[in-house]
Amino acid sequence: MDDHMQHDARNSEQSARQISSRCISLPKMKSPNSKSETNHVAPSVQLHERASDIFEASKAPAAASGLEATLANVLDLLPSLVQVRHGIISLSDRSGIPDMTVGAGWSEGSDERCRKHLPRGAIDQIMTTGMALVAENIALEPAFNATDKDVLGASETMEVSFIGVPIRVDANVVGTLTIDRILDNKSGSLLEYDLRLLTIIANLVGQTVKLHRLFASDRERLMAEKIRMQKQFGELRQPGHEGKRAHVKGIIGDSPALRGLLEKVALAARSNSTVLLRGESGTGKELVAKAVHELSGRAKRPFIKLNCAALPETVLESELFGHEKGAFTSAFNSRKGRFELADKGTLFLDEIGEISASFQAKLLRVLQEQEFERVGSNQTIKVDVRVIAATNRNLEDAVARNEFRADLYYRISVVPLLVPPLRERRGDIPLLAAEFLKNFNNENGRMMVFDASATEVLMNCAFPGNVRELENCVQRTATLAAGTSIVRSDFDCSHGRCLSAMLWKHASTETSPKFEAIAPSPLNPAMKSSGAFASPAVATPPVDSEQALPAPDRIGLVSDGKLTDRERLIATMERSGWVQAKAARLLGLTPRQIGYALRKYGIEIKCL
């Protein structure tokens, strides 16, 4: 990248030589105060002698910051390159109206202060002609009117020099880079050199402005598409839409929350916009992604899925983009990645909030351009893929903490859909439980049924693990039930052995963060306080505090007054050799729940 910047600087120098030959009012290099002819010839100054300084200046526009701050960085470097009193960059919008004025030491609200040092007549001439304006002494130049001379502080006792060059984006002049200074013997002899140097810097600034405007335009387009889709969703309840309902295989329930989601799914399926599924773990985000695919025009094309949190970054890159034979040690054959396999179809990226910052940049390019290269190859592959992403993290907070790229967030969150947790669709619990029991019977050749008391137990459970936990509960109870009818006493919670109840009891002693509907919490609901799901519509689990304590050899995350929860978790991890799956068995948790607990308490995993 540094070599590329140096190459751009050399190209800009060639351009500067051409501009200096046609700029307005480039005077002969003669000091006005000199009385002898010995100093008439300007000293020979070559730009290549200042290559390192120019290279440093070329880095400033590439800095990752706002446009105003980036331009201020450029101006802060000018005094090390040229003699300058005031250095100012002025930009106009696409309609030619002055839009931004930046000077050295820029800060919020300093635009007006910088404008006071701009000679408007001279600036308008540069913008109109697209040519540089150089004046050794502005008092002698007709391009500067009386107002401009006052602005620059020129008088009979103070002679002022001025150099202004146009800033271009493609062929259009979008602004100016200007400097002024007190004329002395030295400054008068360096006008041509300074003109060429400022032209190089103006070319680099023009490229930076172009990139910033492209990014802003892309973000505005995505936001407009998001607003358009949300407007369509808002029309869902208008006359003509009432009574319509999407029926999706595998998604069971008839609650208002689920009906609203399925209606939005049907609308989102009609376009190729990127969809972001938000919701807690276990709510069925993969089923919703499958529903969007099957209701879309890509239904007969592939539906490819990948869990981004399950693979390290190096493997994830190969899985998504593919690799060539010999690209790495175990690459014995070429292999297509998930993007290629999903061409003309849909790619589901689960847990997208867990990918690393470096890989986020690679993924952004593919989502934006729909092209990529396999690992170990320089051949670009074009694809047509509709991406559906899912996460249980609060991406807005992650963006604020610089853990997730803002541009990637805007790219994937075109159509955000919130998958409701089971506690918000409690009316679906009997339907879901009946379906899970039916599947159990078919797989095991049984004829189990639910007693009325069993349904009451299920309706009173908080199910912080959502639909996945409900399915596990049904299968566990049906397996251990003595008769063909499942009754209240068959459930673990009736005997103080319900893991969900223990987690719920532990969470009730903590302070709960508020759950925002548009920004799901990144924490597993099992680790939240009861305030996150205890409402008048949700009853507490049917266990008391004494029966909730597990056996000593399978102690859960429940404080006994001797060890804190964090110390207990660390002790269990050390006992298991820092193997999460083994620690999960010792605690009676799932590996996913162990992972959430480790992140919650900030425990770093040791590699033994």
Side-chain angles (χ1 to χ4, degrees):
M1 180 176 179
D2 290 347
D3 293 340
H4 180 67
M5 287 182 176
Q6 290 175 325
H7 178 68
D8 284 348
R10 286 193 294 270
N11 289 341
S12 298
E13 180 181 348
Q14 295 174 0
S15 176
R17 294 194 186 99
Q18 297 173 358
I19 290 177
S20 64
S21 66
R22 66 174 187 271
C23 68
I24 298 175
S25 187
L26 180 62
K28 294 181 179 179
M29 302 308 166
K30 179 178 179 180
S31 174
N33 297 325
S34 175
K35 296 182 180 180
S36 67
E37 297 297 324
T38 56
N39 294 325
H40 288 176
V41 181
S44 176
V45 181
Q46 300 295 329
L47 290 183
H48 64 77
E49 297 176 4
R50 302 295 301 276
S52 60
D53 292 333
I54 297 173
F55 177 55
E56 289 301 319
S58 70
K59 290 181 179 181
S65 58
L67 181 57
E68 293 92 340
T70 300
L71 299 182
N73 289 339
V74 175
L75 294 171
D76 288 339
L77 285 172
L78 277 184
S80 65
L81 301 174
V82 298
Q83 184 181 348
V84 56
R85 182 177 59 165
H86 300 123
I88 299 175
I89 293 176
S90 177
L91 297 177
S92 299
D93 59 20
R94 288 178 172 84
S95 60
I97 300 174
D99 179 49
M100 182 187 304
T101 305
V102 180
W106 174 88
S107 61
E108 292 289 345
S110 64
D111 286 31
E112 190 61 33
R113 175 174 56 83
C114 295
R115 289 193 184 97
K116 292 179 180 179
H117 299 290
L118 278 180
R120 289 310 319 172
I123 297 298
D124 292 341
Q125 181 172 317
I126 298 173
M127 294 288 294
T128 302
T129 63
M131 299 175 65
L133 176 59
V134 181
E136 184 176 10
N137 184 355
I138 66 172
L140 305 178
E141 296 297 333
F144 295 86
N145 54 37
T147 303
D148 289 348
K149 294 173 184 177
D150 289 340
V151 166
L152 294 175
S155 65
E156 295 180 357
T157 59
M158 180 181 294
E159 297 178 340
V160 177
S161 297
F162 176 88
I163 303 176
V165 294
I167 297 172
R168 288 184 171 84
V169 171
D170 298 328
N172 302 316
V173 178
V174 299
T176 60
L177 168 59
T178 62
I179 67 168
D180 65 80
R181 62 196 178 202
I182 305 301
L183 179 61
D184 57 27
N185 292 335
K186 180 180 179 182
S187 64
S189 64
L190 296 177
L191 286 175
E192 183 176 4
Y193 163 78
D194 292 345
L195 170 65
R196 291 165 60 191
L197 179 60
L198 292 177
T199 302
I200 293 173
I201 296 175
N203 288 341
L204 296 172
V205 169
Q207 297 173 22
T208 302
V209 172
K210 180 180 179 180
L211 291 176
H212 275 266
R213 289 184 173 180
L214 285 175
F215 175 77
S217 176
D218 188 42
R219 183 172 63 178
E220 289 174 2
R221 182 181 60 80
L222 289 174
M223 292 301 294
E225 185 177 2
K226 178 178 178 180
I227 293 172
R228 181 181 63 80
M229 293 298 297
Q230 290 176 339
K231 184 177 180 181
Q232 288 183 351
F233 295 156
E235 296 172 353
L236 193 63
R237 296 299 180 185
Q238 297 298 323
H241 290 284
E242 295 179 3
K244 290 186 178 180
R245 182 187 167 199
H247 296 274
V248 179
K249 181 181 178 181
I251 298 181
I252 301 166
D254 195 39
S255 63
L258 185 62
R259 285 202 304 269
L261 172 65
L262 294 181
E263 288 167 347
K264 292 180 180 180
V265 164
L267 284 176
R270 298 188 304 192
S271 75
N272 289 319
S273 301
T274 304
V275 175
L276 177 62
L277 301 178
R278 314 289 296 269
E280 298 171 5
S281 178
T283 52
K285 294 187 288 293
E286 184 176 329
L287 281 177
V288 176
K290 183 73 172 176
V292 173
H293 171 73
E294 292 181 346
L295 293 174
S296 71
R298 300 171 180 258
K300 295 183 180 179
R301 297 290 185 171
F303 176 78
I304 307 298
K305 53 191 177 181
L306 178 68
N307 189 313
C308 298
L311 301 171
E313 180 179 339
T314 53
V315 179
L316 184 60
E317 183 175 3
S318 174
E319 283 292 324
L320 280 177
F321 307 144
H323 61 257
E324 295 293 344
K325 181 179 179 181
F328 45 85
T329 305
S330 58
F332 300 115
N333 297 291
S334 297
R335 183 173 181 270
K336 289 184 177 181
R338 305 297 175 97
F339 270 101
E340 277 187 87
L341 296 175
D343 190 26
K344 303 297 190 298
T346 303
L347 176 62
F348 175 55
L349 299 178
D350 197 8
E351 307 224 34
I352 196 169
E354 305 300 326
I355 61 177
S356 66
S358 59
F359 193 76
Q360 289 174 27
K362 300 176 184 178
L363 183 59
L364 175 65
R365 183 230 170 177
V366 182
L367 295 179
Q368 181 169 324
E369 305 295 338
Q370 293 276 293
E371 63 181 28
F372 59 93
E373 293 82 33
R374 290 181 182 176
V375 177
S377 172
N378 57 7
Q379 180 180 357
T380 301
I381 300 173
K382 294 282 291 185
V383 291
D384 175 18
V385 176
R386 198 243 181 106
V387 174
I388 301 176
T391 184
N392 58 5
R393 290 190 65 190
N394 189 322
L395 292 186
E396 290 76 14
D397 283 351
V399 170
R401 295 193 300 268
N402 292 324
E403 296 174 359
F404 198 84
R405 292 177 64 105
D407 45 6
L408 179 58
Y409 169 79
Y410 287 118
R411 174 62 61 180
I412 63 176
S413 186
V414 178
V415 183
L417 297 179
L418 179 65
V419 183
L422 190 55
R423 61 180 175 273
E424 294 181 5
R425 42 182 292 219
R426 302 191 66 78
D428 295 335
I429 290 179
L431 297 175
L432 288 165
E435 180 67 19
F436 295 147
L437 186 60
K438 176 183 175 182
N439 294 339
F440 176 85
N441 288 335
N442 293 336
E443 293 172 1
N444 297 278
R446 305 281 294 276
M447 295 293 293
M448 306 289 292
V449 294
F450 281 118
D451 182 73
S453 62
T455 303
E456 181 182 357
V457 171
L458 294 174
M459 290 293 291
N460 286 334
C461 184
F463 288 116
N466 295 296
V467 179
R468 183 183 294 120
E469 184 184 352
L470 172 61
E471 182 178 13
N472 292 342
C473 178
V474 170
Q475 290 186 358
R476 178 173 61 251
T477 305
T479 300
L480 299 177
T484 59
S485 179
I486 299 177
V487 298
R488 176 188 294 272
S489 59
D490 290 325
F491 289 93
D492 284 345
C493 56
S494 298
H495 306 285
R497 297 192 300 267
C498 179
L499 176 61
S500 172
M502 289 186 287
L503 291 174
W504 187 92
K505 177 181 180 298
H506 165 71
S508 66
T509 64
E510 301 178 356
T511 302
S512 170
K514 293 184 178 179
F515 182 86
E516 299 290 343
I518 62 172
S521 171
L523 297 178
N524 186 314
M527 297 301 175
K528 296 182 179 181
S529 74
S530 59
F533 50 78
S535 65
V538 183
T540 58
V543 295
D544 60 33
S545 59
E546 295 299 326
Q547 291 178 334
L549 293 175
D553 60 335
R554 292 179 62 81
I555 190 70
L557 295 179
V558 182
S559 176
D560 60 0
K562 297 179 181 179
L563 294 176
T564 65
D565 298 330
R566 188 177 190 278
E567 292 170 341
R568 190 180 305 279
L569 184 57
I570 292 175
T572 305
M573 289 296 294
E574 290 177 344
R575 177 182 172 189
S576 62
W578 291 91
V579 178
Q580 294 186 51
K582 185 176 180 180
R585 289 194 298 271
L586 292 175
L587 292 173
L589 305 176
T590 65
R592 180 186 290 270
Q593 290 168 331
I594 282 288
Y596 281 129
L598 291 171
R599 288 197 296 272
K600 173 183 176 181
Y601 291 111
I603 300 174
E604 183 178 355
I605 299 176
K606 297 180 181 179
C607 298
L608 301 180

